[in-house]
Amino acid sequence: MTYEAAVKKYQPTLGLEVHVELNTATKAFDDSPQEFDAEPNRSVNEVSVGLPGTLPVFNEQMLESAIRLGLALNCKIAENTTFARKHYFYPDLPKAYQISQASDPIAYDGYVDVELADGSMYRIEIERAHMEEDAGKLNHVGGDGARIHGATYSLVDYNRSSVPLVEIVTKPFTGGGERADEIAAAYVQTLRDIFRTLDISEARMERGNVRADVNVSLRKSEDDPLGTRTETKNVNSFRSIERAVRFEVARQAEILDAGEKVFQETRHFHEEDGSTSSGRPKSDADDYRYFPDPDLPPLTPDPVWVEQLRAGLPEMPAVKRRRLQKEWGLADLEMRDIVSSGALELVEATVAEGASPAAARKWWNGELAKTARIDGIALADLPVTPAQVAALQTLVDEGRLTDSLARQALEGVMAGEGEPHEVVASRGLEVVSDDGALGEAIDAAIAANPDVVAKIKAGKVAAIGALVGGVMKATRGKADAAKVRGLIAEALEVD
């Protein structure tokens, strides 16, 4: 059954659990450094691997980041918050429990307004946001797709063990209908933007800084009880979230149509075809045997401090987008293109460096977006800065570069040949502005094309383009085409 057919027969209910890694200097409960891509098992100490006799020490920066996030999500901040031990055994969790929060999360009862591609809004209610530590990481070798199934052996890397997380749990949300997949992805994108605005995480999904567990269930109508849910674990791109929702909705609809039952379980997502497969039976909270962590005392955030943090929150992404759109004078579609391509911060920084909003948008949503697509990387990872883009545009505005020459200069900048003015000098890209040199090229083009000249003088002024082309060829594209056209028209005494 297709997704479209499924949502005509059943109403999907979604719930998302989003984990974000905080960018604290050290881990949640010990002083091991957080280092992405560190050599395996180097960013660890005796606490993060749970050796007997060690005790956790709480990272206060984690609390501040969690409170700021809770405030940004319109949550209430707990007057008292506690840590609990969540018991389960995995090879990458040597303590056999994870320090998390159970009954007293740091933040609760919030909401996020999500803007969809057509500009419509959808409110998602937040049940809770709680602090916890991450587990380590298993690297399965020899199987298909780095899964344990079929692997010949597995390696354990504890670098990620005890990295600080905040898990944001939504209340079940309904009413999305055929747009449920879009809403789910837009929600996580909204959260990602908030994380970055707060500067509490790099929030790079490709690095696993943000991971979403996607819960899906179906029911016939709003009057029916919620259906049995499945939880697709660790989905780490917006597109994959959409695909996971679409696959699960269609899969569950087929099961229900056949008169069978959906099993409550966790499921794996497969990037290669967008499918999911069974993981393990889904445990309820009771199965984790939570109990208060005896080594971590309750926390009571000072209300004055919380209000200071609230007052210091930056402008939230949605508010900022509306302000910038108004300041820049862009249409809704133009602004959505900037946002959807991930160029908003880059365009803003380029404007701050002196480029006009239109020019900044042209570069980042045009030539640079094309390069990023070809290279398969994010715009922000291109080897060019907003300051360099603004400098290139300045050269264009000053008439020292044409758009074509500017693109060549950009290639040089991204190839590491230096700053824009250095690339222009070393490659000899600057526009030929010397009237004498242009005059010689124009005279040569006129002399070499008497038939074209005759057509122009007979009234076919459009033929002047052929002479302009000759001049551009003679100057290796370094002439200002508009200026050349004017000079030719003047020489031939036509308008």
Side-chain angles (χ1 to χ4, degrees), residues 320-337:
K320 180 179 179 179
R321 283 197 296 272
R322 288 192 288 272
R323 175 178 62 77
L324 290 176
Q325 181 179 352
K326 185 177 181 180
E327 291 177 1
W328 293 349
L330 298 180
D332 290 345
L333 184 58
E334 293 173 326
M335 195 64 182
R336 284 202 292 272
D337 284 346

Side-chain angles (χ1 to χ4, degrees), residues 282-444:
K282 174 61 180 175
S283 300
D284 289 320
D286 291 345
D287 297 324
Y288 290 120
R289 299 293 189 270
Y290 283 101
F291 72 78
D293 192 305
D295 297 328
L296 290 164
L299 301 174
T300 55
D302 183 344
V304 175
W305 178 54
V306 171
E307 288 311 307
Q308 289 173 342
L309 293 177
R310 188 194 304 277
L313 288 178
E315 184 180 34
M316 288 296 108
V319 177
K320 180 179 179 179
R321 283 197 296 272
R322 288 192 288 272
R323 175 178 62 77
L324 290 176
Q325 181 179 352
K326 185 177 181 180
E327 291 177 1
W328 293 349
L330 298 180
D332 290 345
L333 184 58
E334 293 173 326
M335 195 64 182
R336 284 202 292 272
D337 284 346
I338 291 175
V339 173
S340 62
S341 65
L344 181 61
E345 294 174 356
L346 296 165
V347 170
E348 184 186 16
T350 306
V351 171
E353 292 288 345
S356 68
R361 172 177 169 268
K362 175 195 70 177
W363 281 110
W364 289 108
N365 267 38
E367 193 70 17
L368 290 166
K370 178 182 174 183
T371 301
R373 280 196 301 273
I374 293 172
D375 293 347
I377 61 176
L379 270 177
D381 290 336
L382 287 173
V384 61
T385 65
Q388 290 170 325
V389 173
L392 270 176
Q393 185 58 41
T394 298
L395 293 172
V396 173
D397 294 340
E398 292 174 349
R400 296 171 61 188
L401 289 179
T402 62
D403 284 344
S404 175
L405 293 172
R407 286 194 290 273
Q408 295 179 49
L410 178 63
E411 290 176 1
V413 171
M414 291 196 289
E417 297 173 17
E419 294 300 313
H421 70 279
E422 295 172 328
V423 175
V424 169
S426 62
R427 290 194 176 195
L429 295 176
E430 192 156 354
V431 167
V432 175
S433 56
D434 177 74
D435 287 350
L438 279 182
E440 289 179 9
I442 289 170
D443 290 344

Side-chain angles (χ1 to χ4, degrees), residues 16-231:
L16 292 173
E17 301 168 25
V18 176
H19 295 78
V20 54
E21 288 184 351
L22 303 179
N23 58 3
T24 54
T26 56
K27 293 185 177 179
F29 302 110
D30 65 70
D31 61 358
S32 301
Q34 284 207 69
E35 299 174 305
F36 182 77
D37 273 349
E39 186 178 350
N41 295 311
R42 291 298 182 187
S43 296
V44 297
N45 67 15
E46 60 277 11
V47 179
S48 48
V49 295
L51 295 185
T54 59
L55 294 173
V57 178
F58 181 63
N59 186 333
E60 291 184 7
Q61 188 184 354
M62 180 182 186
L63 177 63
E64 178 175 329
S65 295
I67 291 176
R68 293 178 69 229
L69 177 56
L71 292 170
L73 300 177
N74 303 292
C75 288
K76 299 173 183 174
I77 304 301
E79 295 180 359
N80 297 285
T81 187
T82 59
F83 288 98
R85 293 183 176 184
K86 179 182 181 182
H87 289 82
Y88 58 99
F89 174 77
Y90 282 135
D92 57 354
L93 193 68
K95 295 195 296 277
Y97 65 84
Q98 178 188 29
I99 300 177
S100 183
Q101 295 193 288
S103 56
D104 305 305
I106 184 62
Y108 58 98
D109 286 350
Y111 65 86
V112 173
D113 288 327
V114 176
E115 184 172 357
L116 304 182
D118 62 358
S120 59
M121 305 296 291
Y122 188 96
R123 175 164 292 188
I124 293 181
E125 296 186 346
I126 306 294
E127 180 177 298
R128 56 187 282 149
H130 61 262
M131 298 178 284
E132 64 183 21
E133 61 177 347
D134 210 345
K137 184 178 182 181
L138 294 176
N139 295 304
H140 305 297
V141 181
D144 182 20
R147 302 287 187 191
I148 192 170
H149 300 292
T152 52
Y153 61 93
S154 299
L155 301 172
V156 188
D157 180 2
Y158 291 115
N159 282 350
R160 203 176 66 182
S161 179
S162 200
V163 163
L165 301 176
V166 173
E167 179 178 354
I168 303 152
V169 182
T170 69
K171 295 179 180 177
F173 54 94
T174 60
E178 63 184 7
R179 303 186 74 177
D181 57 334
E182 178 189 358
I183 291 169
Y187 164 70
V188 179
Q189 186 165 4
T190 300
L191 289 187
R192 192 275 311 268
D193 293 345
I194 292 173
F195 302 150
R196 291 182 172 175
T197 297
L198 295 172
D199 193 25
I200 60 170
S201 173
E202 286 189 56
R204 297 182 64 162
M205 299 189 75
E206 75 278 11
R207 288 186 176 182
N209 295 147
V210 179
R211 308 188 295 271
D213 298 340
V214 181
N215 291 267
V216 176
S217 68
L218 300 183
R219 59 181 173 176
K220 278 284 190 180
S221 74
E222 292 182 357
D223 297 330
D224 293 337
L226 294 177
T228 302
R229 66 187 169 94
T230 62
E231 179 180 354

